[in-house]
Amino acid sequence: MPATTQRVLSIIPPMTQLNTPYPSTAYLTGFLRSRGIDAVQEDLALALVLRLLSKQGLQQVAEQVAKIPPKLQSPAVQCFAEHQDRYLATIAPVIAFLQGRDTTLAHRVVSRTYLPEGPRFASLDVYVDDEGGDPLGWAFGALGLTDRAKHLATLYLNDLADVLRDAVDERFEFVRYAESLAASQPSFDPLADALAAEPSLVDDLLAQLTLAAVERHRPDVVLLSVPFPGSVYAAFRIAQTIKARHPQIKTVLGGGFVNTELRELAEPRVFDHVDFVTLDAGERPLLALLEHLRGERGASRLVRTFARDEATREVRYINMMEADIAFAEVGTPTWDGLPLDRYLSLLDMLNPMHRLWSDGRWNKLTVAHGCYWKKCSFCDVNLDYIGRYEGASASVLADRIDAIVAETGQTGFHFVDEAAPPKALKALAHELIERNTDISWWGNVRFEKTFTPDLASLMADSGCIAISGGLEVASDRLLELMKKGVSVEQVARVTKAFSDAGILVHAYLMYGFPTQTVQDTVDALEYVRQLFENGCIQSGFFHRFVCTVHSPVGKNPEDYGVTLLPLPESDFARNDVGFVDPTGVDHDALGDCLKKAIYNYMHGIGLEDDVRMWFPFKVPKTTVKRDKIARALQQKH
């Protein structure tokens, strides 16, 4: 089969994002087309949600709800049953509003009389002030009508997601769909049992969408990109559907989940559904695989590919050493074939940085492959997506940006690097300004001293609107232990430079790192309070530390004062690993307090108070002076 007649269909399986396409298929499709291969793509995650959240879809949901005795209905299902007619009447207008096709509906939505309000709307109660005033006034002000409406409409969709979970498919969620079947799951049994079970309404609709996509494109090869555990089950359902109806089509599994959790895959049942599983950057393995399927390359010359030996039913890992495609030569991603006007602009969390993740359609682009630092002890620095650092020239990146804007008509970009290199951002900013390229962009960086006030201003002039970065545990002792390569004072000066340039700054924060004490946690919160107080950061979020088998902590736990718990025998997924920290700190209890504190700090509440107020139990007084950050900001950058 000549390359020109070999058609490849890349699929985004449920669930990823609803506001913008997950970029993996755009990258693969653009690359394959640059090599003369007939490549197309489909977003079945969006297609499934739009099918479910339609009048026809909700009528089918209502039929399922009617089968549940009222006494056994959850609050969300009870609300749906009681207001079924209103849901059926409002779903199409709400979807059109969130797609930007009917913005005037905002006036009716904010009236609070148009949409049926289920349990998710109870979250608004926490916003009511002491005088019983406008519950969303603090968040959106007097003029934020459209944003208020988006938030209310998102709560409405979340109520419907709860109905789908409680009445149709207990695994259903907009993001973490059936996640427990795959995440760090040592056995394939739970996934195999789910795939063998009677299909739910969600499964049936996904099968219909899958067969329709196959009929439209008539592919020879289908690529299933699974970035998260919450997209694995649906990917296997898609593969199962294809194999049942079109067994001649070859199916290939890849993506972020595979690259982190299936590196030691030995489960032969996986290959009842997919023919091949590839690891790491997909360009070189796919070229080799497509050559193999055309009869131009033997199976022994595949690259980073798992396959099943049909004679012995054993899983083989085949990896002929062959150079990866240079980052500068992977081509320009293309969104051709994806319904860019049908994505949903949601406003779920009122955190200003998290809003960028769910609101608006962003073109996702990578400034460089991998991480130039690759030392952080909590990170999977041994894996290709971080460990192999490679860049491209500013002119190549600007050419890609120009091509993407011309194709999509959208000028918003999210640079999805693990940590965008400052030298590359500086060169790109100069290139964008020189070309008069008018875009808005945001991305993730390390808060290192290279980001001077001058560079921050340059980035802002080139269109940078927001920057996120890892402060992790705001403790110099722990930052040194985790090899972060920054200090708290340095982070303060860098984030202040970004803020002064008009760039929104979000800090990724961590708790529960090995040997972190209660004193460390209280001191870290004091540093965070001061960063907000001094206008260094406007947004933040605390994550619980998770030890992975690929990180330095997972590989050398003794260096971090912890003992790993034994992992079960595994022939499927392997990633998270438990550990014993001799400090014995109850990080879960502390974490609840940290999240409450930062939520309030983002809204200017409690910044003058002692941080101990956020803990309902006794904690030690902070050892950090209250003017520590203010003094650091007075020092030269």
Side-chain angles (χ1 to χ4, degrees), residues 169-197:
D169 187 337
E170 64 182 3
R171 301 162 299 216
F172 186 84
E173 286 190 56
F174 280 148
V175 178
R176 294 181 174 86
Y177 180 32
E179 185 179 63
S180 63
L181 298 178
S184 295
Q185 181 59 256
S187 172
F188 190 66
D189 286 348
L191 196 52
D193 291 343
L195 293 169

Side-chain angles (χ1 to χ4, degrees), residues 143-284:
L143 300 178
L145 179 138
T146 300
D147 282 353
R148 292 182 190 220
K150 279 186 182 179
H151 184 54
L152 294 168
T154 302
L155 294 176
Y156 164 91
L157 294 192
N158 287 338
D159 271 330
L160 288 173
D162 292 343
V163 174
L164 286 163
R165 180 196 64 212
D166 297 339
V168 177
D169 187 337
E170 64 182 3
R171 301 162 299 216
F172 186 84
E173 286 190 56
F174 280 148
V175 178
R176 294 181 174 86
Y177 180 32
E179 185 179 63
S180 63
L181 298 178
S184 295
Q185 181 59 256
S187 172
F188 190 66
D189 286 348
L191 196 52
D193 291 343
L195 293 169
E198 187 72 21
S200 68
L201 171 63
V202 178
D203 296 327
D204 286 338
L205 294 178
L206 180 57
Q208 293 172 23
L209 293 167
T210 298
L211 294 175
V214 169
E215 183 63 28
R216 264 193 308 278
H217 299 294
R218 299 184 179 276
D220 303 292
V221 181
V222 171
L223 309 180
L224 295 161
S225 177
V226 287
F228 316 118
S231 54
V232 174
Y233 169 72
F236 272 89
R237 273 291 187 188
I238 291 168
Q240 182 185 57
T241 300
I242 293 172
K243 283 297 174 193
R245 186 71 65 88
H246 302 282
Q248 79 283 1
I249 295 176
K250 299 300 181 182
T251 51
V252 188
L253 192 70
F257 168 81
V258 174
N259 299 337
T260 52
E261 303 213 20
L262 298 189
R263 303 193 73 85
E264 298 176 30
L265 179 63
E267 171 57 76
R269 289 177 294 174
V270 166
F271 299 89
D272 291 340
H273 308 284
V274 298
D275 297 289
F276 303 96
V277 177
T278 65
L279 291 182
D280 300 327
E283 291 86 2
R284 178 59 71 191

Side-chain angles (χ1 to χ4, degrees), residues 469-499:
L471 173 55
E472 318 309 349
V473 179
S475 157
D476 286 335
R477 177 185 77 82
L478 291 173
L479 286 171
E480 183 177 356
L481 180 62
M482 62 177 62
K483 297 181 175 62
K484 188 68 186 177
V486 299
S487 67
V488 177
E489 292 188 6
Q490 177 183 312
V491 168
R493 289 188 286 272
V494 170
T495 53
K496 183 63 171 172
F498 282 129
S499 293

Side-chain angles (χ1 to χ4, degrees), residues 16-23 175 227-228 343-364 413-418 442-445 465-469 504 506-508 539-541 543:
T16 50
Q17 289 178 264
L18 298 180
N19 66 307
T20 196
Y22 192 79
V175 178
F228 316 118
Y343 287 86
L344 305 174
S345 231
L346 304 177
L347 188 43
D348 192 351
M349 299 181 68
L350 300 182
N351 177 307
M353 177 59 80
H354 287 180
R355 173 183 180 170
L356 293 178
W357 285 95
S358 62
D359 186 17
R361 227 230 20 102
W362 300 95
N363 299 309
K364 293 182 182 285
F413 282 80
H414 174 199
F415 296 151
V416 293
D417 301 69
E418 296 299 312
W442 57 288
N444 196 58
V445 301
I465 59 169
I467 284 294
S468 60
L504 173 73
H506 174 86
Y508 289 112
S539 174
F541 192 80
H543 303 259

Side-chain angles (χ1 to χ4, degrees), residues 27 40 65 67 76 79 122 141 150 155 167 218 254 282 342 387 411 419 441 453 455 479 489 499 505 566 577 579 617:
Y27 269 90
V40 292
V65 168
K67 299 175 184 178
C79 180
K150 279 186 182 179
L155 294 176
R218 299 184 179 276
R342 301 188 71 202
T411 59
W441 62 269
L455 179 51
L479 286 171
E489 292 188 6
S499 293
V505 182
V577 54
F579 63 94
F617 43 82

Side-chain angles (χ1 to χ4, degrees), residues 533-552:
E533 181 183 45
N534 287 277
C536 298
I537 62 177
Q538 295 76 46
S539 174
F541 192 80
F542 275 101
H543 303 259
R544 174 68 185 264
F545 168 76
V546 175
C547 182
T548 68
V549 295
H550 308 295
S551 68

